[in-house]
Amino acid sequence: MEIKVLVAAHKNYQMPDDKLYLPVFVGKELRPDVNHSFQGDNTGDNMSAMNPYYNELTAIYWGWKNLDLDAMGLVHYRRYLSLNHQKSLNKVLSYQDAERLLKNNDIILPEKRRYYIETIESHYRHSHENKPLDIMTNVIKDKYPEYEDAYNKVMKRTWAHMFNMFIMKREPLNEYCKWMFDVLKNVEKQIDISTYSTYEQRVYGFLSEPLLDVWLERHPEYKTTEVDYVFMEHTNWLVKGGNFLKRKIVGHY
């Protein structure tokens, strides 16, 4: 199988040697002189200039539109799919692992991230500006009513497949990307984010995360499997926990 997993990066960073991975410098159109060794997301049909608002989705869009593959996926330069939880670039999911898993599955996902004490909707509302989520809810209701039940179900869950990480065969990839980008473009038409902070202007990347599970819920015909994911750098859980509690008490900041 022709499989590539794009590694979204916005700076120079060590990458896996396995042939499965293709490092992609996101937002290359805005920073043409920063990196000359990674593939840019600004060739062919692309939305590279929208990276400050779409995050890693500019890599997904570029790969979807420009690569002729049997399956394509995305990970982040510090976060990878894995079968072993080992923080080593030599131990992340390999081409052989991906090919084996895709023999009996259509989609490879990271293990669910569980929030336990709050739903996906409440987690989003505590972390981000709320208006974009309200608009996306209405877009799905008005433009894609066949997804409304799945959307409501996903937003009430306390878990999700996060980070826009996956590996998909071509057919589900085409269907998912066409739907997901159309939803986000319809939100973009209805909102002014010019007054948002630089962080909150990454709104379309944030909104896209629950959309993966919405689409999966609506398409049970595709067989999925979960694997571990590993974050390569140290996580300060004290700071992370404090930020979580602050969002719960005062909302996003």
Side-chain angles (χ1 to χ4, degrees), residues 15 47 51 53 64 70 74 79 103 105 115 156 160 162 167 170 178-179 187 192 194 210 216 221 234 238 242 247:
M15 293 287 165
M47 56 185 302
N51 180 256
Y53 320 113
W64 170 46
D70 297 308
L74 180 114
R79 187 182 287 113
K103 284 182 178 179
N105 298 281
Y115 294 93
K156 291 175 182 174
M162 301 298 284
I167 305 174
R170 173 55 67 176
K178 181 179 179 181
W179 176 79
V187 175
D192 177 8
S194 61
L216 290 170
E221 68 270 21
H234 173 71
L238 184 62
R247 288 195 302 268

Side-chain angles (χ1 to χ4, degrees), residues 21-200:
Y21 296 98
L22 175 63
V24 176
F25 192 90
V26 295
K28 182 71 171 179
E29 188 70 16
L30 303 174
R31 304 169 69 198
D33 298 324
V34 174
N35 178 289
H36 298 292
S37 57
F38 298 167
Q39 169 66 51
D41 66 349
N42 63 334
T43 62
D45 187 349
N46 73 85
M47 56 185 302
S48 178
M50 298 297 288
N51 180 256
Y53 320 113
Y54 277 79
N55 292 359
E56 65 276 356
L57 296 186
T58 61
I60 294 175
Y61 185 91
W62 174 83
W64 170 46
K65 290 293 188 178
N66 296 287
L67 298 180
D68 183 14
L69 300 168
D70 297 308
M72 191 195 86
L74 180 114
V75 295
H76 303 259
Y77 70 102
R78 296 182 299 175
R79 187 182 287 113
Y80 289 85
L81 299 173
S82 169
L83 295 179
N84 51 53
H85 274 307
Q86 294 187 47
K87 290 189 176 186
S88 168
L89 290 176
N90 296 321
K91 299 295 184 180
V92 296
L93 195 77
S94 69
Y95 172 85
Q96 288 76 18
D97 294 332
E99 186 178 47
R100 175 177 55 81
L101 290 168
L102 288 171
K103 284 182 178 179
N104 298 310
N105 298 281
D106 301 300
I107 302 169
I108 302 170
L109 299 167
E111 63 186 357
K112 300 177 184 71
R113 189 174 190 181
R114 300 183 183 277
Y115 294 93
Y116 297 105
I117 63 172
E118 63 178 353
T119 65
I120 298 307
E121 180 177 3
S122 65
H123 175 73
Y124 190 97
R125 292 191 181 281
H126 287 139
S127 304
H128 304 294
E129 296 279 354
N130 283 191
K131 186 174 181 179
L133 185 64
D134 294 333
I135 291 175
M136 186 170 77
T137 302
N138 288 330
V139 165
I140 289 176
K141 180 180 178 181
D142 296 339
K143 188 172 176 61
Y144 289 102
E146 69 274 20
Y147 283 83
E148 188 175 8
D149 287 346
Y151 178 80
N152 291 334
K153 183 175 182 179
V154 166
M155 298 306 284
K156 291 175 182 174
R157 288 174 178 164
T158 57
W159 58 265
H161 298 99
M162 301 298 284
F163 317 120
N164 284 313
M165 290 169 58
F166 59 79
I167 305 174
M168 292 190 189
K169 289 181 178 176
R170 173 55 67 176
E171 183 176 354
L173 177 72
N174 286 342
E175 294 177 11
Y176 171 63
C177 285
K178 181 179 179 181
W179 176 79
M180 182 263 292
F181 282 111
D182 189 64
V183 170
L184 296 178
K185 285 297 182 182
N186 275 275
V187 175
E188 186 182 338
K189 292 174 184 176
Q190 300 180 48
I191 195 166
D192 177 8
I193 62 172
S194 61
T195 61
Y196 288 4
S197 68
T198 300
Y199 178 74
E200 283 301 309

